[in-house]
């Protein structure tokens, strides 16, 4: 049997760098963007893609819209947007 080396745990626990931390979605500007998106039933890549920057971007009044719905025809593995055939494409090409 091989004995594995024992590593002493350091009391100096490494903290994540500040730039890696995700800001919580709070504040009046965030709430205003949230309200505009909800009231107008808008689709944003921010939400559909589960973007971790929403707290920061929406907190400064920036959101990115998906103008033809919340479905994408591609299936990129890194992206959280739903994959499928958007209804607008069906209307444009009823045969296909
Ligand atoms: S605008 Fe900001 S929150 Fe929206 S997708 Fe781009 S980086 Fe993410």
């Amino acid at each position: 049997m091989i004995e594995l080396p024992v590593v002493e745990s350091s009391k100096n626990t490494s903290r994540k760098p500040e730039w890696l931390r995700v800001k919580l979605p709070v504040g009046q500007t965030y709430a205003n963007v949230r309200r505009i998106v909800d009231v107008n039933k808008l689709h944003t890549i921010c939400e559909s893609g589960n973007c971790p920057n929403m707290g920061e971007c929406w907190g400064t009044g920036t959101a990115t819209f998906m103008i033809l719905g919340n479905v994408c025809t591609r299936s990129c593995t890194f992206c959280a947007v739903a994959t499928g055939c958007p209804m607008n494409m069906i209307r444009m090409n009823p045969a296909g």
Side-chain angles (χ1 to χ4, degrees):
M1 177 184 252
I2 301 172
E3 285 192 32
L4 297 173
V6 176
V7 178
E8 294 289 326
S9 66
S10 170
K11 289 185 179 175
N12 183 15
T13 57
S14 61
R15 297 178 58 91
K16 302 275 188 297
E18 199 59 39
W19 56 264
L20 191 56
R21 294 168 182 254
V22 175
K23 292 192 169 98
L24 283 175
V26 293
Q28 188 61 47
T29 308
Y30 177 91
N32 284 341
V33 173
R34 168 92 275 156
R35 183 185 51 76
I36 290 168
V37 168
D38 289 346
V39 166
N40 296 292
K41 297 182 172 59
L42 300 171
H43 298 292
T44 65
I45 183 62
C46 316
E47 289 181 293
S48 297
N50 290 338
C51 183
N53 298 331
M54 276 182 61
E56 185 172 343
C57 291
W58 289 30
T60 57
T62 300
T64 302
F65 302 103
M66 298 171 74
I67 58 174
L68 294 177
N70 63 349
V71 177
C72 180
T73 56
R74 307 192 63 175
S75 185
C76 306
T77 55
F78 57 83
C79 185
V81 174
T83 300
C85 184
M87 292 306 293
N88 289 336
M89 290 184 69
I90 295 170
R91 284 189 209 113
M92 286 189 302
N93 184 11

